Amino acid sequence: MESIARLTSFAVSLLFLLSCLSFTSTEAYDALDPTGNITIKWDVMSWTPDGYVAVVTMYNFQQYRHIQAPGWTLGWTWAKKEVIWSMVGAQTTEQGDCSRFKGNVPHCCKKDPTVVDLLPGTAYNQQIANCCKGGVLNSWVQDPANAASSFQISVGAAGTTNKTVKLPKNFTLKAPGPGYTCGPAKIVRATKFITADKRRVTQALMTWNVTCTYSQFLAQKTPTCCVSLSSFYNDTIVNCPTCTCGCKSNSTDSESCVNPNHPHLASAVSGSGKSNINTPLVQCTSHMCPVRIHWHVKINYKEYWRVKVSITNFNYRMNYSQWNLVAQHPNFDNLTQIFSFNYKSLTPYAGLNDTAMMWGVKFYNDFLNEAGPLGNVQSELLFRKDKSTFTFEKGWAFPRRIYFNGDNCVMPPPDSYPWLPNAGPPKMASLLRLAMTVLASFVFLVAYA
Ligand SMILES: *[C@@H]1O[C@H](CO)[C@@H](O)[C@H](O)[C@H]1NC(C)=O
Ligand SMILES: *[C@@H]1O[C@H](CO)[C@@H](O)[C@H](O)[C@H]1NC(C)=O
Ligand SMILES: *[C@@H]1O[C@H](CO)[C@@H](O)[C@H](O)[C@H]1NC(C)=O
Ligand SMILES: *[C@@H]1O[C@H](CO)[C@@H](O)[C@H](O)[C@H]1NC(C)=O
Ligand SMILES: *[C@@H]1O[C@H](CO)[C@@H](O)[C@H](O)[C@H]1NC(C)=O
Ligand SMILES: *[C@@H]1O[C@H](CO)[C@@H](O)[C@H](O)[C@H]1NC(C)=O
Ligand SMILES: *[C@@H]1O[C@H](CO)[C@@H](O)[C@H](O)[C@H]1NC(C)=O
Ligand SMILES: *[C@@H]1O[C@H](CO)[C@@H](O)[C@H](O)[C@H]1NC(C)=O
Ligand SMILES: *[C@@H]1O[C@H](CO)[C@@H](O)[C@H](O)[C@H]1NC(C)=O
């Protein structure tokens, strides 16, 4: 009897482990935005003698993750020998070998074309609606009007009916680095279009969708942001964990980081060049993260309590336009006021209202400047105390999770949180969280393995 029970529990834990493995390595899943995805929709608008004309639209259905400059890159593989006769609102990066064509030469003959958006200010005859934003795709919550991007494509040497057309395969979406994984194209119900005066409905001849999801593990090898903590009731400032995003190299002429007081700062920054814009050039800190979020528990009132949140940019090579922050704390269901940030509550799960998305006010602080005196933004949050849950003990006043631009920021270990005077380190809560941290780091390791 006992051995069977033991065997069962072993099998169950093995199953759990396996599900953990497959879960992290195949599917990108974000607990705070479980259905977040970018959907690419192809609407065939007309058949031509040797193919079709389609409008391709990318919808960013992610609540808070956006694609910022230098923008998206979309690729696929043709199923047969299709070519692109022409494009409006985007272009392929390479034409490829079109030598088999006499006279009219296609825009692109590559088997695996790579498409990029056109830049703002493109001539009107090369534009269509939702195009030409330099590949920038804003997030669904922050800027729904700019969460879609379109182009028109005229395909030749292709099927000319919905029976003979072959769907493109192997879609890749770069932002512009890795991170997104796209599924196969699937034929869906043809899109219906309503005319501007709403008096007529037309429809695509055929529509297919591709869904792409994001995984932070695929996107970058190291974390990109970290969290530091402090409170009015304890002088200790708990800094980001050391070496969160890398370690400071100790040779002075190393280019790994910049000392803000160093005389060679200007040359190091200007000499960096635009080509390696994706490799951050960070200020030398103990954590080496490009971005730090500081959460300070500032004031305790009778009915309310107040938090100050600051975001600091340590990257000399990056201005964050339209940045956003997601924070999870149980008191967000009683947020009374937020100063100088926009706010929307996210409810990834029905009934749980503990997650907030915050972003800058347009033309005021929606632009987080590169590292330096202007490289920070801040806000204060006023929470109403819920007597049944509110406490300053056991680190309750600190956030459970922080995301910057959709990436999870590394928190200090729970047993280092500032304590209330005369209180010991948080015990139960800490043990539980420690267990979760261990599990999380295990998942991390597995995902990188
Ligand atoms: C993609 O996002 C949309 C909008 O949130 C959702 O309706 C759809 O089910 C998602 N698709 C997948 C495959 O998750
Ligand atoms: C193809 O078009 C025919 C009409 O021309 C239609 O009946 C059929 O449903 C279409 N099939 C698909 C897969 O769209
Ligand atoms: C899919 O695309 C990737 C990257 O472009 C390429 O490495 C891979 O070989 C392609 N797979 C197929 C089946 O075409
Ligand atoms: C296909 O994409 C469109 C637009 O993104 C969406 O409205 C539609 O629901 C999608 N269809 C399916 C079956 O996912
Ligand atoms: C740099 O590292 C070497 C050995 O690894 C050590 O001897 C030296 O003191 C370090 N220098 C600084 C400035 O930390
Ligand atoms: C950031 O923006 C400032 C002001 O607009 C500009 O001077 C600077 O060159 C930008 N830096 C980068 C790395 O793009
Ligand atoms: C969540 O809480 C905020 C702040 O109290 C409130 O404004 C919002 O309506 C709540 N949302 C839901 C879905 O309960
Ligand atoms: C806090 O919010 C919850 C859910 O929105 C509500 O039931 C509760 O009464 C609120 N508490 C206070 C003190 O406002
Ligand atoms: C403040 O918190 C730290 C832990 O981060 C602890 O070591 C220290 O003793 C606390 N100070 C007081 C006065 O309780």
Side-chain angles (χ1 to χ4, degrees):
M1 270 316 268
E2 203 183 308
S3 66
I4 290 177
R6 235 184 264 163
L7 207 66
T8 327
S9 79
F10 175 73
V12 166
S13 29
L14 198 69
L15 265 178
F16 172 73
L17 236 149
L18 283 176
S19 67
C20 267
L21 287 174
S22 58
F23 167 74
T24 49
S25 57
T26 61
E27 234 0 86
Y29 178 80
D30 180 348
L32 298 184
D33 189 8
T35 64
N37 67 78
I38 292 185
T39 299
I40 305 163
K41 184 175 66 123
W42 289 53
D43 288 313
V44 175
M45 307 306 289
S46 62
W47 301 109
T48 59
D50 73 335
Y52 57 90
V53 175
V55 172
V56 180
T57 308
M58 298 161 61
Y59 295 90
N60 184 5
F61 287 133
Q62 300 178 103
Q63 309 230 51
Y64 42 77
R65 195 168 292 112
H66 63 274
I67 297 181
Q68 64 170 12
W72 53 261
T73 299
L74 180 65
W76 62 83
T77 307
W78 290 117
K80 297 192 293 180
K81 289 205 165 349
E82 289 90 338
V83 294
I84 301 172
W85 280 117
S86 63
M87 290 183 90
V88 183
Q91 64 186 8
T92 61
T93 55
E94 279 178 74
Q95 183 181 32
D97 177 8
C98 290
S99 57
R100 66 185 160 116
F101 290 86
K102 310 266 178 293
N104 244 354
V105 178
H107 174 81
C108 176
C109 302
K110 282 188 68 117
K111 175 98 177 153
D112 53 347
T114 299
V115 175
V116 293
D117 198 5
L118 297 179
L119 299 176
T122 294
Y124 279 112
N125 62 2
Q126 286 165 44
Q127 290 194 14
I128 69 163
N130 288 323
C131 87
C132 314
K133 293 183 276 201
V136 170
L137 203 52
N138 289 335
S139 75
W140 198 250
V141 165
Q142 197 167 345
D143 190 2
N146 287 304
S149 194
S150 302
F151 58 89
Q152 183 184 298
I153 183 169
S154 174
V155 183
T160 54
T161 67
N162 68 7
K163 300 263 171 357
T164 54
V165 73
K166 288 274 185 297
L167 308 190
K169 296 193 286 209
N170 200 13
F171 277 86
T172 54
L173 174 63
K174 300 211 167 128
Y180 287 93
T181 309
C182 299
K186 287 200 183 106
I187 296 173
V188 299
R189 206 154 41 106
T191 307
K192 295 197 166 155
F193 306 96
I194 302 166
T195 56
D197 62 7
K198 295 196 169 69
R199 298 184 60 214
R200 180 176 149 78
V201 175
T202 58
Q203 71 181 69
L205 300 174
M206 185 178 182
T207 300
W208 58 83
N209 276 7
V210 178
T211 304
C212 307
T213 50
Y214 180 82
S215 155
Q216 193 178 340
F217 301 122
L218 293 178
Q220 65 257 160
K221 297 238 168 353
T222 52
T224 53
C225 54
C226 63
V227 179
S228 58
L229 307 169
S230 61
S231 73
F232 68 86
Y233 55 74
N234 183 318
D235 291 337
T236 311
I237 295 174
V238 180
N239 202 354
C240 290
T242 307
C243 293
T244 301
C245 306
C247 286
K248 199 156 48 170
S249 144
N250 88 351
S251 68
T252 45
D253 56 4
S254 148
E255 277 212 35
S256 70
C257 68
V258 171
N259 182 339
N261 306 315
H262 202 275
H264 300 308
L265 169 65
S267 64
V269 173
S270 65
S272 59
K274 281 268 182 283
S275 56
N276 43 12
I277 185 160
N278 289 315
T279 23
L281 180 66
V282 296
Q283 187 173 312
C284 298
T285 55
S286 61
H287 51 80
M288 295 288 279
C289 290
V291 171
R292 182 190 68 198
I293 318 308
H294 186 76
W295 179 283
H296 175 63
V297 178
K298 192 179 174 188
I299 307 179
N300 183 23
Y301 306 104
K302 191 154 175 280
E303 304 268 328
Y304 298 89
W305 61 293
R306 196 173 175 111
V307 166
K308 179 172 176 179
V309 174
S310 329
I311 309 175
T312 309
N313 186 359
F314 290 107
N315 185 354
Y316 287 98
R317 275 192 199 138
M318 184 67 122
N319 289 314
Y320 294 95
S321 53
Q322 296 203 291
W323 58 267
N324 68 58
L325 195 69
V326 172
Q328 194 182 25
H329 188 281
N331 219 152
F332 270 116
D333 60 355
N334 298 94
L335 181 69
T336 305
Q337 201 174 359
I338 176 161
F339 300 87
S340 60
F341 282 178
N342 288 305
Y343 158 83
K344 186 174 182 289
S345 96
L346 300 180
T347 46
Y349 308 100
L352 254 187
N353 187 1
D354 62 352
T355 307
M357 174 167 165
M358 293 163 264
W359 65 97
V361 175
K362 212 167 181 61
F363 304 124
Y364 174 60
N365 57 6
D366 64 332
F367 190 81
L368 175 57
N369 235 290
E370 61 188 28
L374 300 175
N376 69 85
V377 290
Q378 45 198 262
S379 168
E380 298 203 355
L381 313 174
L382 189 65
F383 294 104
R384 187 184 173 87
K385 291 180 184 171
D386 187 334
K387 292 275 177 332
S388 64
T389 52
F390 178 81
T391 173
F392 279 128
E393 277 170 38
K394 296 177 181 162
W396 188 87
F398 297 109
R400 306 299 183 260
R401 244 195 278 227
I402 297 263
Y403 285 21
F404 178 77
N405 275 356
D407 282 334
N408 201 345
C409 301
V410 177
M411 303 275 301
D415 55 3
S416 70
Y417 285 14
W419 314 334
L420 273 174
N422 309 325
K427 287 214 175 67
M428 272 316 286
S430 131
L431 274 181
L432 195 70
R433 278 210 222 117
L434 199 68
M436 284 169 74
T437 315
V438 167
L439 191 69
S441 39
F442 170 73
V443 169
F444 247 103
L445 285 174
V446 163
Y448 282 124

